[in-house]
Amino acid sequence: MMGQRPVLVLSQNTKRESGRKVQIGNISAAKTIADVIRTCLGPRAMMKMLLDPMGGIVMTNDGNAILREIQVQHPAAKSMIEISRTQDEEVGDGTTSVIILAGEMLAVAEHFLEQQMHPTVIIGAYRKALDDMISSLNKISTPVDVNNKEMMLNIIKSAINTKAISHWSDLACGIALDAVKTVEFEENGRKEIDIKNYAKVEKIPGGIIEDSCVLRGIMVNKDVTHPRMRRYIKNPRIVLLDCSLEYKKGESQTDIEITREEDFARILQMEEEYIQQICEDLIRVKPDLIITEKGISDLAQHYLIRANITAIRRVRKTDNNRISRACGARIVSRTDELRDEDVGTGARLFEVKKIGDEYFTFITDCKDPKACTIMLRGASKEILAEVERNLQDAMQVCRNVLVDPQLVPGGGAAEMAVSHALTEKSKVMTGVEQWPYRAVAQALEVIPRTLIQNCGASTIRLLTSLRAKHTQEGSQTWGVNGETGALVDMKDLGIWEPLAVKLQTYKTAVETAVLLLRIDDIVSGHKKKGGDQSRSTGAPDAAQE
Ligand SMILES: Nc1ncnc2c1ncn2[C@@H]1O[C@H](COP(=O)(O)OP(=O)(O)OP(=O)(O)O)[C@@H](O)[C@H]1O
Ligand SMILES: [Mg+2]
């Protein structure tokens, strides 16, 4: 009798799915995500227009940017989206490829699951295939001379010509290379290329794209604090501060009790003396320009104007860091510690210009800037946002090549070559593992296939002849011309991709497929209780108030 009573382990509002159903569900979710952005691959890519939660629109064909905006419910779909973000953070390009590839890796596994093959066998084969993919990719890679400007521009162009900015590819490639070269920094044999912090893209709507440029210095969206300050200074001496030029207020609420009137006057006087003191400290090093991250009081402005010093307040910390790198000034936090070495003299020009409706401060013409601002102009905010994303891709590709100067052919050639190598290897394999292994080889063909599809050529015919081509010795660089759909040698077309991007794409795609195949149970449900508890622990604080 007792055995018949149902035992409830999971709470009633949890949903649970398990077994084959979950695996098939995961695979179809992954395929759906891949289908969303399949048309965004290659030089004939389509764009997507998305409404973001704030009501603005995003127009893009960048895989990561698209997926970031769409909301999905299925957990497997969520993890697919996550890999696109990882790819973006890690190497900055290949976010579309990685999704398409991962989707295909899972799609080919479906067949084996239907035939009751155990996921562990498939996973084993996938892992083995990944190792071989990496080694054969390394084999077909070629080193590149990073000082060869023409070659570098060509590589960047390969990344850019799949984007909306491709009409201005010469301009964009020049900008990307210039910016990355500027922030390249070598110290004790350690190479640092920090694009995120030191190459800032500033978008100013208006003008035309051709007006965009890399400044030899920094631009910030600020004006001088007082209209009587100079707005044009040649060879400025720059002092950077991260403290405020105001009278310090108490940390918490302070009460002062005074009984005599002289005491009150004395307090005011002390405040004035304090400001005067810090201004004197500053004036001692004879700066022309003072930039601080905090505020500047009216009185301090008065003293600074008298000494013919221009001041800018409340710049962002990151902007201050960039200015520091560009003009060689050191950011000082106490005015009494200011020394002559801290003053930056690397910039030859300070200028405040009015563009459109706003004032912008330019600190340019620097002698050896290790940071820069990329000024983008364009017709609208949405276009500028897309141009920025494209430039980021280009800069990341450039950085990847500078860090690891190895290239593989693009246009699906690398995939075909690796696929061929895997197929050859699978022929000597025995056991049931060889089938999923061979399926991985087949899945790699999705990249050239999609490139062919996206330019509207005949998929089966071209792919068959491309496959045949790769069986010949020395034709590993043959791939698809994404513009015309013809088969070409990538050496002639000049489409190259950094090895780092390709490696990351393969690793992420296979790892994700493996991870999703390993799942055989999805439990979902809300933890209402937990929410209540956290609220009740927060309650005592509220009660005290
Ligand atoms: N002219 C071309 N002909 C053929 N293939 C090309 C050409 N230019 C680029 N490709 C290929 O297109 C693919 C890259 O496409 P795309 O830049 O649209 O996507 P992604 O790099 O994967 O993702 P994203 O750039 O959105 O992060 C690469 O496989 C590359 O080799
Ligand atoms: Mg790309």
Side-chain angles (χ1 to χ4, degrees), residues 384-410:
L384 281 176
E386 174 66 354
V387 171
E388 178 184 0
R389 274 191 291 272
N390 298 170
L391 259 188
Q392 294 290 2
D393 271 27
M395 288 195 288
Q396 295 284 1
V397 164
C398 186
R399 189 203 62 175
N400 289 329
V401 176
L402 286 180
V403 172
D404 178 15
Q406 295 277 336
L407 297 181
V408 291

Side-chain angles (χ1 to χ4, degrees), residues 40-43 45 60-65 87-88 92-98 100 157-163 393 408-413 415 447 451 479-484 488 490 493 495-497 501-502 505:
C40 296
L41 186 83
T60 183
N61 74 355
D62 186 281
N64 179 40
Q87 179 83 8
D88 195 49
D93 192 20
T95 58
T96 313
S97 309
V98 74
I100 295 180
K157 207 168 172 180
S158 305
I160 266 187
N161 74 8
T162 61
K163 303 289 174 204
D393 271 27
V408 291
E415 283 75 17
I447 300 287
L451 285 171
V480 188
N481 180 344
E483 301 276 356
T484 60
V488 278
M490 286 299 143
L493 195 63
I495 301 290
W496 296 92
E497 287 179 81
V501 174
K502 268 278 133 71
T505 311

